[in-house]
Amino acid sequence: MSLDHALLVSLLEKPSSGYELARRFDRSIGYFWHATHQQIYKVLARMEEAGWISGELQAGEAAPDRKLYSVSRAGRSEVARWLAEPTEPEGVRDSLMVKLRGAAFGEAGALIPELEHHRALHANRLTAYRVIEARDFSGTLDRQRALQYQVLKSGIRYEQGWLEWCEEAIALLHGHEQDPPRREKK
Amino acid sequence: MSLDHALLVSLLEKPSSGYELARRFDRSIGYFWHATHQQIYKVLARMEEAGWISGELQAGEAAPDRKLYSVSRAGRSEVARWLAEPTEPEGVRDSLMVKLRGAAFGEAGALIPELEHHRALHANRLTAYRVIEARDFSGTLDRQRALQYQVLKSGIRYEQGWLEWCEEAIALLHGHEQDPPRREKK
DNA sequence: GCTTGCACTGCAACTCGTTGCATAGTATCT
DNA sequence: AGATACTATGCAACGAGTTGCAGTGCAAGC
């Protein structure tokens, strides 16, 4: 498991409260590792217990109290350990693909709106990434920025691939739209 | 959740035992929706309970007994229902990306073997897909085959993207190999 | 003064998924 | 005869992740 490590890296980049992390996981890091706030609070509590991070309570004047976490020495060495340890690629799980195979046994045309929805979402993400790219990663980059940019580039490639694939799939289904659904028995 | 539906679609394509499904999930469908055999047996039991599939025990002569499942009428309509229902894209979770961001706080060069490992894996997958493509999807395709091919194409695109990205990332890290790790304090 | 909304944290219950183990028969090699 | 490996199914325990709810406190609008 690795939400732990995603949070540690996030906290190395910037000490934060659970809430801040949760919002960061709706953008930025969250594009490559999503998590809900409940999950985040749970893992933060566990990591504080384990001594990887320490939380400092800050009484807010004009804002609610918040607990600012930062990575301890033990947490840093845990990150180093984890970096050195090999990881296998995550298994893919994509329900659209399953649906497309399932479409052979139903109304394939019914999937077109779904595909168009996905195309729109991926197009939006791609645009968002392009904006970030232009804003944060033009000109010369220091080491940290260069690495972050490389991560962003994988996102760009990914969304672009999806976009093209969606177009193809939509065209395919349009071609088959009039065909009767395949039936195996009566 | 959707292992249920992945199994239903798999069973529509071919009635099978749990064991067969488990092996199928190591190839084919499994490239787009992975699952272990325990998980599969559990879900099969639940779906039989729910009446979506029915299992017929087959006494093997030269082989162990097996339970052959096939999709019932109720299961078929569940698939149809699910196909019509919109699904959001799955959230990405990629530990390599997190590691790359984490590398800014450690020995970035240490990630090179890891990246090379991933590159090799993605290259293997790509080759495997190309073999399947040449073997099963050349010439004219019926509706079902065309849809399966479209699914395979997403896999090809995906692995190819990864491959290119890995090359880029390795080149980047080689460039930074001599740099000292970035430190925030002390 | 009351509602709505946002910043902020968390518990409880549940489902999903993984890991490890158990069992049992058949086939093959040595 | 014994070791190894494959087909085949499953339980039990645990950890990861989701969903729903609950609470505080501040600020803004009506």
Side-chain angles (χ1 to χ4, degrees):
Chain A
M1 199 275 314
S2 254
L3 176 53
D4 300 50
H5 302 106
L7 288 175
L8 285 175
V9 170
S10 245
L11 288 175
L12 280 173
E13 290 180 345
K14 186 176 185 316
S16 317
S17 67
Y19 187 82
E20 265 181 298
L21 285 167
R23 271 182 321 163
R24 203 120 43 96
F25 270 69
D26 292 336
R27 315 175 259 98
S28 177
I29 273 265
Y31 289 134
F32 309 99
W33 200 280
H34 73 89
T36 61
H37 74 105
Q38 289 88 344
Q39 187 66 12
I40 290 169
Y41 283 120
K42 243 187 280 185
V43 172
L44 284 175
R46 180 174 11 107
M47 291 201 299
E48 189 174 20
E49 187 87 10
W52 292 356
I53 57 176
S54 57
E56 197 189 341
L57 212 77
Q58 304 201 308
E61 300 129 37
D65 295 1
R66 53 196 226 114
K67 220 167 159 184
L68 196 77
Y69 289 99
S70 48
V71 181
S72 69
R73 179 174 301 250
R76 275 171 191 271
S77 68
E78 169 57 22
V79 170
R81 191 200 61 72
W82 172 71
L83 282 178
E85 170 195 278
T87 331
E88 296 309 298
E90 324 283 332
V92 175
R93 281 197 177 173
D94 204 306
S95 49
L96 244 201
M97 299 306 150
V98 181
K99 279 194 175 185
L100 213 61
R101 284 181 78 137
F105 307 94
E107 293 261 20
L111 270 185
I112 294 176
E114 177 89 340
L115 285 165
E116 271 163 355
H117 177 54
H118 280 243
R119 176 178 56 178
L121 286 174
H122 290 296
N124 284 349
R125 279 240 168 133
L126 183 56
T127 306
Y129 289 167
R130 292 283 191 210
V131 168
I132 296 171
E133 184 181 29
R135 191 190 60 205
D136 296 345
F137 300 105
S138 47
T140 40
L141 307 169
D142 64 14
R143 201 168 84 114
Q144 187 179 18
R145 280 244 164 262
L147 288 168
Q148 287 179 0
Y149 186 30
Q150 189 61 29
V151 172
L152 181 66
K153 280 207 260 185
S154 94
I156 290 173
R157 206 184 282 274
Y158 180 76
E159 299 300 339
Q160 201 144 41
W162 261 103
L163 206 53
E164 287 162 23
W165 182 87
C166 282
E167 311 271 359
E168 255 181 54
I170 290 167
L172 176 69
L173 288 191
H174 270 130
H176 283 298
E177 208 168 11
Q178 281 86 349
D179 298 7
R182 184 193 139 150
R183 291 218 163 260
E184 283 166 315
K185 55 176 184 183
K186 182 44 198 295
Chain B
M1 198 272 316
S2 253
L3 176 53
D4 301 49
H5 300 107
L7 288 174
L8 286 175
V9 169
S10 247
L11 289 175
L12 280 174
E13 290 181 345
K14 186 175 184 318
S16 319
S17 68
Y19 187 80
E20 266 182 297
L21 284 167
R23 273 181 318 164
R24 202 117 47 93
F25 270 69
D26 291 336
R27 314 174 260 101
S28 176
I29 275 264
Y31 290 135
F32 310 100
W33 199 281
H34 73 90
T36 61
H37 74 108
Q38 290 87 344
Q39 186 66 12
I40 289 169
Y41 283 119
K42 244 187 280 186
V43 173
L44 284 175
R46 181 175 7 105
M47 291 202 298
E48 189 174 19
E49 187 89 10
W52 291 356
I53 58 177
S54 56
E56 197 188 340
L57 212 76
Q58 302 203 309
E61 302 128 38
D65 296 1
R66 52 195 229 115
K67 223 170 158 185
L68 196 78
Y69 289 100
S70 48
V71 182
S72 69
R73 182 176 298 255
R76 275 170 192 275
S77 70
E78 168 57 22
V79 170
R81 191 201 61 70
W82 173 70
L83 281 177
E85 171 196 277
T87 330
E88 296 308 299
E90 324 284 331
V92 175
R93 279 198 177 174
D94 205 305
S95 48
L96 245 200
M97 299 304 148
V98 181
K99 278 193 175 186
L100 213 61
R101 283 180 80 139
F105 307 94
E107 293 260 18
L111 269 186
I112 293 176
E114 177 90 340
L115 285 166
E116 271 163 356
H117 176 57
H118 279 244
R119 175 177 56 178
L121 286 173
H122 289 298
N124 284 349
R125 280 240 166 131
L126 183 56
T127 306
Y129 289 167
R130 292 286 191 206
V131 168
I132 296 171
E133 184 182 30
R135 192 190 57 205
D136 296 347
F137 299 105
S138 48
T140 40
L141 306 169
D142 65 12
R143 202 169 83 113
Q144 188 180 13
R145 280 245 165 263
L147 289 168
Q148 288 179 358
Y149 186 29
Q150 189 62 30
V151 172
L152 181 65
K153 281 207 258 184
S154 96
I156 290 173
R157 208 184 281 275
Y158 180 75
E159 299 300 340
Q160 201 145 41
W162 260 104
L163 206 53
E164 288 162 24
W165 183 87
C166 282
E167 310 272 357
E168 255 182 56
I170 289 167
L172 177 69
L173 288 192
H174 271 131
H176 283 297
E177 209 168 9
Q178 281 84 349
D179 297 8
R182 186 194 139 153
R183 292 217 163 260
E184 285 167 316
K185 56 176 186 183
K186 176 53 191 294

